Amino acid sequence: MNHDLRRIKAGPIEAEWERVVQETRATIQVADAAPELVPQDGLSEAEQFLAIARSFADSKPPAAVEYAWYAAEDPLYKGLPQEALEKVRTNRQLIQAAKLHGLLSPGAVVVLERLNDLRNLGVHGAGPTPHQAREFIELVEDFLTLPDGPTPPPTRRDLSPPARPTAKPTAKRRSHE
């Protein structure tokens, strides 16, 4: 058995050991340097993820893409019921669960699937350039502002039946006596 492993091939994915080690170390550094995601200054967690992504776009583009992705998926994790989340193992499963639970329109599903493809290229591929990382961040921001994009789960008030009309009908019914 050769213990001088330099290249890994698993299906369609091939990676050089040194590059993966470097990316892992860079991710550890980014995670260590990232501020805690505690809501501050009125920013939502998604907005905080985007702020972190912007701060890493020039120095650590793959980390910037990853944090921007966290911003895109944040409303989905918050909107899905726990039993649905327990079945989610991949980003594709998350997208499908959000679609099934009415959190995404069909158009928003397509956009999020494309963002996931870009995220995979940025995180698992050769790594994006700073320009590509900033472009990805902008795409996520656009996704989050889509009119038919991620929607919050219905509140109890939204689930209550509509109130019955109080006015009586004006037309008189015929009597069949």
Side-chain angles (χ1 to χ4, degrees):
M1 180 179 218
N2 183 0
H3 293 287
D4 190 23
L5 181 64
R6 297 275 180 224
R7 190 175 286 275
I8 298 171
K9 185 167 184 167
I13 299 174
E14 188 171 322
E16 292 183 27
W17 182 263
E18 289 85 9
R19 183 179 57 79
V20 174
V21 168
Q22 288 173 350
E23 287 178 3
T24 304
R25 284 193 177 118
T27 304
I28 290 169
Q29 291 170 352
V30 167
D32 190 43
E36 274 191 52
L37 292 174
V38 177
Q40 316 170 333
D41 302 323
L43 295 179
S44 69
E45 284 186 57
E47 291 167 326
Q48 289 184 55
F49 283 128
L50 287 170
I52 293 169
R54 282 186 216 97
S55 73
F56 288 126
D58 291 326
S59 62
K60 308 262 188 245
V65 168
E66 188 72 8
Y67 276 102
W69 174 256
Y70 295 157
E73 70 181 9
D74 181 65
L76 307 181
Y77 276 109
K78 288 182 176 168
L80 285 171
Q82 186 61 38
E83 64 271 6
L85 286 174
E86 289 171 0
K87 297 175 185 173
V88 170
R89 299 285 179 261
T90 66
N91 291 340
R92 294 264 181 223
Q93 290 173 342
L94 175 66
I95 295 167
Q96 289 307 309
K99 178 183 173 184
L100 289 173
H101 285 84
L103 299 177
L104 295 171
S105 70
V109 168
V110 172
V111 172
L112 195 56
E113 287 172 341
R114 298 294 181 264
L115 285 173
N116 185 50
D117 292 342
L118 288 172
R119 177 240 172 236
N120 289 339
L121 286 171
V123 173
H124 302 298
T129 64
H131 170 76
Q132 290 169 326
R134 286 189 300 276
E135 187 174 45
F136 185 78
I137 293 165
E138 289 173 11
L139 289 169
V140 169
E141 289 170 334
D142 291 345
F143 166 73
L144 291 172
T145 60
L146 279 175
D148 61 347
T151 56
T155 63
R156 287 198 185 279
R157 191 169 133 179
D158 295 336
L159 295 174
S160 60
R164 295 187 168 249
T166 55
K168 294 185 179 184
T170 55
K172 292 185 178 183
R173 297 180 91 182
R174 284 191 197 180
S175 172
H176 294 290
E177 297 178 329

PDB file of all heavy atoms in Angstrom, residues 111-125:
ATOM      1  N   VAL A 111     -33.107  29.194  -8.659  1.00  0.00           N
ATOM      2  CA  VAL A 111     -32.028  30.123  -8.302  1.00  0.00           C
ATOM      3  C   VAL A 111     -31.158  29.515  -7.205  1.00  0.00           C
ATOM      4  O   VAL A 111     -29.924  29.529  -7.292  1.00  0.00           O
ATOM      5  CB  VAL A 111     -32.593  31.495  -7.863  1.00  0.00           C
ATOM      6  CG1 VAL A 111     -31.492  32.385  -7.305  1.00  0.00           C
ATOM      7  CG2 VAL A 111     -33.289  32.178  -9.025  1.00  0.00           C
ATOM      8  N   LEU A 112     -31.778  28.969  -6.177  1.00  0.00           N
ATOM      9  CA  LEU A 112     -31.014  28.400  -5.065  1.00  0.00           C
ATOM     10  C   LEU A 112     -30.210  27.178  -5.507  1.00  0.00           C
ATOM     11  O   LEU A 112     -29.082  26.968  -5.043  1.00  0.00           O
ATOM     12  CB  LEU A 112     -31.935  28.062  -3.895  1.00  0.00           C
ATOM     13  CG  LEU A 112     -31.245  27.799  -2.569  1.00  0.00           C
ATOM     14  CD1 LEU A 112     -30.356  28.975  -2.146  1.00  0.00           C
ATOM     15  CD2 LEU A 112     -32.267  27.518  -1.493  1.00  0.00           C
ATOM     16  N   GLU A 113     -30.753  26.377  -6.418  1.00  0.00           N
ATOM     17  CA  GLU A 113     -29.993  25.243  -6.951  1.00  0.00           C
ATOM     18  C   GLU A 113     -28.753  25.729  -7.692  1.00  0.00           C
ATOM     19  O   GLU A 113     -27.675  25.152  -7.566  1.00  0.00           O
ATOM     20  CB  GLU A 113     -30.867  24.383  -7.862  1.00  0.00           C
ATOM     21  CG  GLU A 113     -31.880  23.560  -7.097  1.00  0.00           C
ATOM     22  CD  GLU A 113     -32.877  22.848  -7.992  1.00  0.00           C
ATOM     23  OE1 GLU A 113     -33.039  23.245  -9.181  1.00  0.00           O
ATOM     24  OE2 GLU A 113     -33.506  21.884  -7.512  1.00  0.00           O
ATOM     25  N   ARG A 114     -28.888  26.811  -8.459  1.00  0.00           N
ATOM     26  CA  ARG A 114     -27.733  27.381  -9.172  1.00  0.00           C
ATOM     27  C   ARG A 114     -26.718  27.950  -8.179  1.00  0.00           C
ATOM     28  O   ARG A 114     -25.512  27.784  -8.352  1.00  0.00           O
ATOM     29  CB  ARG A 114     -28.169  28.471 -10.148  1.00  0.00           C
ATOM     30  CG  ARG A 114     -29.091  28.034 -11.244  1.00  0.00           C
ATOM     31  CD  ARG A 114     -28.405  27.062 -12.210  1.00  0.00           C
ATOM     32  NE  ARG A 114     -29.298  26.676 -13.271  1.00  0.00           N
ATOM     33  CZ  ARG A 114     -30.032  25.559 -13.263  1.00  0.00           C
ATOM     34  NH1 ARG A 114     -29.970  24.745 -12.242  1.00  0.00           N
ATOM     35  NH2 ARG A 114     -30.809  25.251 -14.267  1.00  0.00           N
ATOM     36  N   LEU A 115     -27.210  28.607  -7.146  1.00  0.00           N
ATOM     37  CA  LEU A 115     -26.299  29.116  -6.114  1.00  0.00           C
ATOM     38  C   LEU A 115     -25.549  27.962  -5.445  1.00  0.00           C
ATOM     39  O   LEU A 115     -24.360  28.071  -5.153  1.00  0.00           O
ATOM     40  CB  LEU A 115     -27.064  29.926  -5.065  1.00  0.00           C
ATOM     41  CG  LEU A 115     -27.517  31.316  -5.483  1.00  0.00           C
ATOM     42  CD1 LEU A 115     -28.413  31.927  -4.416  1.00  0.00           C
ATOM     43  CD2 LEU A 115     -26.330  32.212  -5.770  1.00  0.00           C
ATOM     44  N   ASN A 116     -26.231  26.857  -5.218  1.00  0.00           N
ATOM     45  CA  ASN A 116     -25.588  25.694  -4.622  1.00  0.00           C
ATOM     46  C   ASN A 116     -24.495  25.148  -5.547  1.00  0.00           C
ATOM     47  O   ASN A 116     -23.421  24.760  -5.092  1.00  0.00           O
ATOM     48  CB  ASN A 116     -26.617  24.610  -4.299  1.00  0.00           C
ATOM     49  CG  ASN A 116     -26.004  23.437  -3.576  1.00  0.00           C
ATOM     50  OD1 ASN A 116     -25.287  23.593  -2.590  1.00  0.00           O
ATOM     51  ND2 ASN A 116     -26.275  22.246  -4.065  1.00  0.00           N
ATOM     52  N   ASP A 117     -24.760  25.123  -6.860  1.00  0.00           N
ATOM     53  CA  ASP A 117     -23.741  24.685  -7.818  1.00  0.00           C
ATOM     54  C   ASP A 117     -22.512  25.588  -7.735  1.00  0.00           C
ATOM     55  O   ASP A 117     -21.371  25.104  -7.709  1.00  0.00           O
ATOM     56  CB  ASP A 117     -24.289  24.704  -9.245  1.00  0.00           C
ATOM     57  CG  ASP A 117     -25.375  23.654  -9.478  1.00  0.00           C
ATOM     58  OD1 ASP A 117     -25.476  22.689  -8.679  1.00  0.00           O
ATOM     59  OD2 ASP A 117     -26.128  23.799 -10.459  1.00  0.00           O
ATOM     60  N   LEU A 118     -22.745  26.901  -7.694  1.00  0.00           N
ATOM     61  CA  LEU A 118     -21.632  27.846  -7.579  1.00  0.00           C
ATOM     62  C   LEU A 118     -20.903  27.676  -6.247  1.00  0.00           C
ATOM     63  O   LEU A 118     -19.669  27.732  -6.186  1.00  0.00           O
ATOM     64  CB  LEU A 118     -22.126  29.286  -7.730  1.00  0.00           C
ATOM     65  CG  LEU A 118     -22.551  29.708  -9.127  1.00  0.00           C
ATOM     66  CD1 LEU A 118     -23.210  31.085  -9.086  1.00  0.00           C
ATOM     67  CD2 LEU A 118     -21.364  29.703 -10.070  1.00  0.00           C
ATOM     68  N   ARG A 119     -21.646  27.470  -5.193  1.00  0.00           N
ATOM     69  CA  ARG A 119     -21.037  27.250  -3.875  1.00  0.00           C
ATOM     70  C   ARG A 119     -20.118  26.039  -3.902  1.00  0.00           C
ATOM     71  O   ARG A 119     -19.002  26.067  -3.412  1.00  0.00           O
ATOM     72  CB  ARG A 119     -22.141  27.070  -2.832  1.00  0.00           C
ATOM     73  CG  ARG A 119     -21.619  26.769  -1.432  1.00  0.00           C
ATOM     74  CD  ARG A 119     -22.166  25.413  -0.987  1.00  0.00           C
ATOM     75  NE  ARG A 119     -21.532  25.027   0.268  1.00  0.00           N
ATOM     76  CZ  ARG A 119     -20.877  23.898   0.423  1.00  0.00           C
ATOM     77  NH1 ARG A 119     -20.770  23.043  -0.557  1.00  0.00           N
ATOM     78  NH2 ARG A 119     -20.321  23.605   1.572  1.00  0.00           N
ATOM     79  N   ASN A 120     -20.591  24.952  -4.515  1.00  0.00           N
ATOM     80  CA  ASN A 120     -19.770  23.746  -4.600  1.00  0.00           C
ATOM     81  C   ASN A 120     -18.495  23.993  -5.391  1.00  0.00           C
ATOM     82  O   ASN A 120     -17.424  23.525  -5.007  1.00  0.00           O
ATOM     83  CB  ASN A 120     -20.569  22.593  -5.201  1.00  0.00           C
ATOM     84  CG  ASN A 120     -21.629  22.076  -4.254  1.00  0.00           C
ATOM     85  OD1 ASN A 120     -21.551  22.276  -3.039  1.00  0.00           O
ATOM     86  ND2 ASN A 120     -22.639  21.416  -4.794  1.00  0.00           N
ATOM     87  N   LEU A 121     -18.595  24.735  -6.485  1.00  0.00           N
ATOM     88  CA  LEU A 121     -17.396  25.080  -7.256  1.00  0.00           C
ATOM     89  C   LEU A 121     -16.450  25.939  -6.430  1.00  0.00           C
ATOM     90  O   LEU A 121     -15.239  25.748  -6.468  1.00  0.00           O
ATOM     91  CB  LEU A 121     -17.780  25.835  -8.531  1.00  0.00           C
ATOM     92  CG  LEU A 121     -18.408  25.008  -9.650  1.00  0.00           C
ATOM     93  CD1 LEU A 121     -18.924  25.926 -10.756  1.00  0.00           C
ATOM     94  CD2 LEU A 121     -17.406  24.014 -10.198  1.00  0.00           C
ATOM     95  N   GLY A 122     -17.013  26.885  -5.694  1.00  0.00           N
ATOM     96  CA  GLY A 122     -16.198  27.799  -4.910  1.00  0.00           C
ATOM     97  C   GLY A 122     -15.536  27.160  -3.712  1.00  0.00           C
ATOM     98  O   GLY A 122     -14.415  27.491  -3.359  1.00  0.00           O
ATOM     99  N   VAL A 123     -16.210  26.204  -3.100  1.00  0.00           N
ATOM    100  CA  VAL A 123     -15.689  25.595  -1.886  1.00  0.00           C
ATOM    101  C   VAL A 123     -14.897  24.321  -2.190  1.00  0.00           C
ATOM    102  O   VAL A 123     -13.864  24.080  -1.587  1.00  0.00           O
ATOM    103  CB  VAL A 123     -16.838  25.302  -0.891  1.00  0.00           C
ATOM    104  CG1 VAL A 123     -16.359  24.516   0.303  1.00  0.00           C
ATOM    105  CG2 VAL A 123     -17.472  26.611  -0.446  1.00  0.00           C
ATOM    106  N   HIS A 124     -15.364  23.526  -3.137  1.00  0.00           N
ATOM    107  CA  HIS A 124     -14.730  22.239  -3.419  1.00  0.00           C
ATOM    108  C   HIS A 124     -13.879  22.254  -4.689  1.00  0.00           C
ATOM    109  O   HIS A 124     -13.142  21.311  -4.925  1.00  0.00           O
ATOM    110  CB  HIS A 124     -15.779  21.132  -3.529  1.00  0.00           C
ATOM    111  CG  HIS A 124     -16.615  20.989  -2.311  1.00  0.00           C
ATOM    112  ND1 HIS A 124     -16.092  20.648  -1.077  1.00  0.00           N
ATOM    113  CD2 HIS A 124     -17.945  21.164  -2.114  1.00  0.00           C
ATOM    114  CE1 HIS A 124     -17.062  20.596  -0.189  1.00  0.00           C
ATOM    115  NE2 HIS A 124     -18.197  20.907  -0.788  1.00  0.00           N
ATOM    116  N   GLY A 125     -14.022  23.283  -5.501  1.00  0.00           N
ATOM    117  CA  GLY A 125     -13.262  23.357  -6.745  1.00  0.00           C
ATOM    118  C   GLY A 125     -11.906  24.002  -6.520  1.00  0.00           C
ATOM    119  O   GLY A 125     -11.341  23.959  -5.430  1.00  0.00           O
TER     120      GLY A 125
END
